[in-house]
Amino acid sequence: MGCKAAEKPKQKHKKGLWSPDEDDKLKNYIIKNGHGCWSSVPINAGLQRNGKSCRLRWINYLRPGLKRGAFSLEEEDTILTLHAMFGNKWSQIAQHLSGRTDNEIKNHWHSYLKKRVSKVAENYEGHTKSVNTESSPSSMKLTPRNSSLDSFEHIEGSLVDSDQSASQMDFSREPQKSNLPKVLFAEWLSLDQFNGQDFQNSGNFEPSKNNFGYNNSEFQDIFMHSLPMNDGSYGNGVNQEVNNGTVGDIFQPQLKFEDPMSANGFEEFMSGEFNINDDVMYI
DNA sequence: AAGCATACCAACCGCAAGCCG
DNA sequence: CCGGCTTGCGGTTGGTATGCT
């Protein structure tokens, strides 16, 4: 961090929405020169913005490899699970969702997923109240980061076989099954508790470097840019979904994570192992 | 059709931490 | 060691779109 202080001609920085022209200027500049020191970017690119604004615009909108559009069920699934583990560590969550920014994930959480979780939580609260009327209301409340394992086990007992461990509950699920109860169970596990599970030996839940020495996000960016396009150029990094052949003859492989929280998927995810199957790369 | 409420999303703000002279 | 500067992160705000009455 830290770079030579940029010379600052005291000028008023523009605020608000970015115009297509500004986008072009910023994009062209960074593609040509890299961003280097952000504070000097707007000066060199001829923009009336501050460096911070440029950085944000690049990261959240202009950066190659960004996925636009609605979140898939799998992505939502992953966000819910990771949020239960990390809390509001949006940047960490974003590292596990290629093509999504922390801002995007955060917005999606606040506008949709949070409500979904609390709604389900209310349902379970009602359910458990009816099952066990002795519990005090406060002990039944969902307080993800602070709840004790005791309350977890208490509620868990009313919903699942009592001798099934929390780790089994969280990470042995099969893909595509409804995950909501498991997300709720994960909410009761603190990160420390999570780290103590057998599947997590390192105690450090960071994506591993893959065989090319890049983390998954870096790798995808580079990978997407190296793809030959049908016009003879190389990929623009935009992760176009290959749905029913709608992309046509443009070769745009997808970088997919197998369900990272499934028993096998998690190990593969952590080990960085992957294989290429036609136009889909599985990690 | 108008007014209001809600949802969504881009962008801003403040803070913490790292780097450098 | 200290102060200034930059970067990155998370919380919040404000504008626009959409839905409802």
Side-chain angles (χ1 to χ4, degrees):
Chain A
M1 241 188 266
C3 65
K4 219 174 182 183
E7 291 134 47
K8 285 188 205 160
K10 278 277 174 192
Q11 57 174 313
K12 243 199 160 192
H13 293 126
K14 194 182 163 192
K15 287 186 180 182
L17 294 179
W18 282 66
S19 68
D21 184 49
E22 287 177 305
D23 280 346
D24 279 348
K25 280 183 179 173
L26 180 61
K27 200 171 170 181
N28 291 336
Y29 174 80
I30 293 179
I31 287 173
K32 230 178 197 174
N33 307 291
H35 61 73
C37 183
W38 280 111
S39 59
S40 64
V41 166
I43 300 163
N44 297 333
L47 291 162
Q48 309 292 103
R49 301 272 180 171
N50 62 25
K52 207 171 178 176
S53 181
C54 292
R55 177 186 159 270
L56 209 65
R57 185 64 177 171
W58 172 257
I59 288 173
N60 290 333
Y61 197 81
L62 299 173
R63 184 165 52 109
L66 287 180
K67 224 186 258 181
R68 312 296 304 174
F71 281 76
S72 67
L73 287 174
E74 286 77 14
E75 286 175 314
E76 291 186 343
D77 195 5
T78 305
I79 293 169
L80 287 166
T81 307
L82 292 174
H83 186 269
M85 283 157 33
F86 294 138
N88 294 356
K89 300 290 176 190
W90 306 116
S91 61
Q92 287 190 54
I93 294 172
Q95 284 174 20
H96 299 277
L97 286 157
S98 64
R100 299 294 188 182
T101 68
D102 53 355
N103 205 35
E104 204 177 3
I105 292 168
K106 181 173 60 181
N107 281 336
H108 191 62
W109 171 264
H110 285 304
S111 62
Y112 177 65
L113 293 176
K114 189 167 73 175
K115 290 167 198 164
R116 187 174 136 192
V117 168
S118 59
K119 201 173 178 182
V120 175
E122 280 171 24
N123 289 343
Y124 276 101
E125 192 174 342
H127 173 80
T128 51
K129 268 183 186 167
S130 68
V131 170
N132 189 343
T133 54
E134 288 177 14
S135 303
S136 68
S138 61
S139 71
M140 300 299 290
K141 258 208 158 141
L142 285 175
T143 50
R145 308 299 300 170
N146 301 317
S147 297
S148 69
L149 201 56
D150 287 346
S151 61
F152 161 72
E153 285 168 352
H154 178 73
I155 296 171
E156 181 202 22
S158 67
L159 296 170
V160 298
D161 293 339
S162 58
D163 57 352
Q164 197 169 9
S165 73
S167 60
Q168 285 172 323
M169 285 300 299
D170 283 337
F171 300 104
S172 62
R173 67 187 168 88
E174 291 165 22
Q176 305 309 315
K177 276 192 178 174
S178 171
N179 63 325
L180 288 174
K182 286 167 183 159
V183 169
L184 289 174
F185 295 147
E187 296 256 342
W188 272 285
L189 290 171
S190 71
L191 190 56
D192 289 343
Q193 288 160 347
F194 171 76
N195 287 338
Q197 306 302 322
D198 288 339
F199 56 82
Q200 175 55 297
N201 295 324
S202 70
N204 179 22
F205 192 73
E206 288 292 326
S208 61
K209 298 270 181 179
N210 62 32
N211 295 345
F212 293 93
Y214 295 100
N215 67 32
N216 293 313
S217 163
E218 290 166 340
F219 177 71
Q220 186 184 16
D221 269 2
I222 293 161
F223 183 69
M224 296 299 281
H225 276 89
S226 65
L227 300 174
M229 308 295 285
N230 60 348
D231 64 357
S233 66
Y234 289 92
N236 61 5
V238 176
N239 186 12
Q240 291 171 273
E241 293 286 343
V242 184
N243 289 331
N244 305 320
T246 53
V247 177
D249 53 359
I250 299 175
F251 177 69
Q252 278 284 26
Q254 298 174 78
L255 191 61
K256 280 192 173 177
F257 293 99
E258 291 283 31
D259 182 359
M261 295 305 122
S262 68
N264 294 332
F266 183 82
E267 285 177 15
E268 289 164 11
F269 177 60
M270 292 302 291
S271 70
E273 286 173 18
F274 63 89
N275 55 68
I276 296 174
N277 179 11
D278 293 329
D279 60 348
V280 178
M281 176 174 289
Y282 290 97
I283 297 233

